[in-house]
């Protein structure tokens, strides 16, 4: 079955550590996105990529980094520079403009 | 600045009645709109879409209405069922914005049996 896989589902990080969230899709979608969900704030865009080896900052990119070396993969690194990293992170992909996103099941990151 | 707004954080409806979820947007360039349904600790799932060339789109129990002059869209669920209890997000997209969607803050719907 085609879909988006995010791993791990739950992740704990110590303050000062970098951590990488995985996102893999086998839908052959060109565009991929990372969103962050906080209570009462909806989904906010962190980074997106429309083609391999290219990505753009979203509204809240500070403290995050991404790579897009393969069409199927769009990992997100939460760096120690991110002040409030505890959140629910969602990865999504989209085939082209007039289609909606397909979302992964999310990763809950908690800083301890 | 929030370009897509859902001003009702929560809504409770009796089973069998109509649920109406509202969404307002500020960017007149938005031309494609979606509704997503989300359960806790899961990714959102696509529910229904509408493009700006239409004012209504229907899919089973779900109907989305778009009023472009008012920059307002609504989702009607008829009849509401307990399994519809979830958080509903509206989202909007415009050409030339990297194909990204802007999301509202969500409305938590509770359908009471």
């Amino acid at each position: 079955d085609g879909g988006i896989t995010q791993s791990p589902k739950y992740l704990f990080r110590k303050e000062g550590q970098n951590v990488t969230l995985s996102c893999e899709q086998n839908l052959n979608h060109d565009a991929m996105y990372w969103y962050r969900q906080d209570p009462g704030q909806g989904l906010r865009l962190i980074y997106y990529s429309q083609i391999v080896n290219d990505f753009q900052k979203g509204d809240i990119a500070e403290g995050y980094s991404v790579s897009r070396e393969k069409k199927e993969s769009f990992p997100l690194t939460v760096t120690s520079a991110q002040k409030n990293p505890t959140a629910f992170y969602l990865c999504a992909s989209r085939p082209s403009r007039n289609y909606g996103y397909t979302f992964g099941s999310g990763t809950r990151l908690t800083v301890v | 600045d929030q370009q897509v707004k859902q001003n009702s954080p929560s809504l409770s409806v009796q089973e069998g009645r109509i649920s109406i979820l509202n969404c307002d947007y500020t960017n007149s360039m938005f031309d494609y709109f979606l509704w997503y349904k989300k359960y806790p600790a899961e990714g959102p799932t696509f529910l229904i879409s509408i493009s700006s060339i239409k004012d209504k789109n229907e899919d089973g129990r779900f109907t989305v209405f778009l009023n472009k002059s008012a920059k307002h869209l609504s989702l009607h669920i008829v009849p509401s069922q307990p399994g519809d209890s979830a958080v509903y997000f509206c989202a909007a997209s415009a050409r030339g914005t990297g194909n990204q969607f802007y999301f509202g803050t969500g409305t938590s719907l509770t359908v009471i049996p």
Side-chain angles (χ1 to χ4, degrees):
Chain A
D1 284 340
I4 297 183
T5 301
Q6 288 187 243
S7 60
K9 192 168 181 65
Y10 298 96
L11 188 57
F12 295 89
R13 188 196 90 175
K14 292 182 180 179
E15 282 195 32
Q17 285 183 338
N18 293 354
V19 65
T20 297
L21 283 61
S22 170
C23 179
E24 303 277 335
Q25 55 102 356
N26 60 3
L27 300 165
N28 200 33
H29 288 175
D30 288 315
M32 296 186 74
Y33 305 81
W34 274 105
Y35 282 87
R36 167 179 171 147
Q37 184 187 14
D38 295 282
Q41 293 201 48
L43 305 180
R44 293 184 292 167
L45 182 66
I46 304 171
Y47 267 98
Y48 65 99
S49 168
Q50 293 184 269
I51 57 172
V52 174
N53 292 322
D54 187 52
F55 48 83
Q56 284 78 40
K57 293 181 179 180
D59 300 322
I60 55 165
E62 185 176 351
Y64 299 98
S65 66
V66 293
S67 63
R68 187 85 185 278
E69 297 176 2
K70 299 185 299 182
K71 188 176 185 178
E72 301 80 16
S73 179
F74 191 41
L76 173 74
T77 297
V78 184
T79 75
S80 57
Q82 168 49 234
K83 300 303 180 189
N84 297 296
T86 295
F88 188 59
Y89 290 86
L90 285 161
C91 179
S93 69
R94 185 181 188 183
S96 62
R97 167 148 167 74
N98 283 333
Y99 287 89
Y101 293 155
T102 299
F103 280 94
S105 57
T107 293
R108 169 72 63 183
L109 173 64
T110 303
V111 173
V112 296
Chain B
D1 190 25
Q2 193 79 17
Q3 298 191 57
V4 179
K5 299 178 183 179
Q6 292 176 257
N7 292 319
S8 297
S10 62
L11 175 67
S12 291
V13 172
Q14 289 285 338
E15 181 178 4
R17 305 293 290 270
I18 184 171
S19 294
I20 300 176
L21 294 88
N22 293 304
C23 179
D24 297 294
Y25 60 95
T26 57
N27 189 340
S28 59
M29 299 301 292
F30 286 150
D31 61 356
Y32 191 61
F33 305 88
L34 304 175
W35 283 94
Y36 281 89
K37 178 179 179 179
K38 185 181 181 302
Y39 295 113
E42 294 183 10
T45 54
F46 169 74
L47 203 54
I48 193 167
S49 66
I50 189 167
S51 76
S52 58
I53 62 173
K54 294 184 175 182
D55 54 21
K56 177 183 174 181
N57 190 24
E58 194 171 351
D59 184 1
R61 295 187 298 114
F62 302 92
T63 303
V64 56
F65 296 91
L66 175 63
N67 183 333
K68 290 184 287 295
S69 61
K71 295 190 181 68
H72 177 82
L73 66 155
S74 61
L75 174 69
H76 292 208
I77 306 173
V78 183
S80 301
Q81 300 173 354
D84 296 330
S85 297
V87 177
Y88 290 79
F89 290 98
C90 66
S93 176
R95 293 185 186 279
T97 59
N99 292 341
Q100 69 161 299
F101 278 98
Y102 295 86
F103 286 82
T105 52
T107 296
S108 178
L109 174 66
T110 301
V111 180
I112 303 165

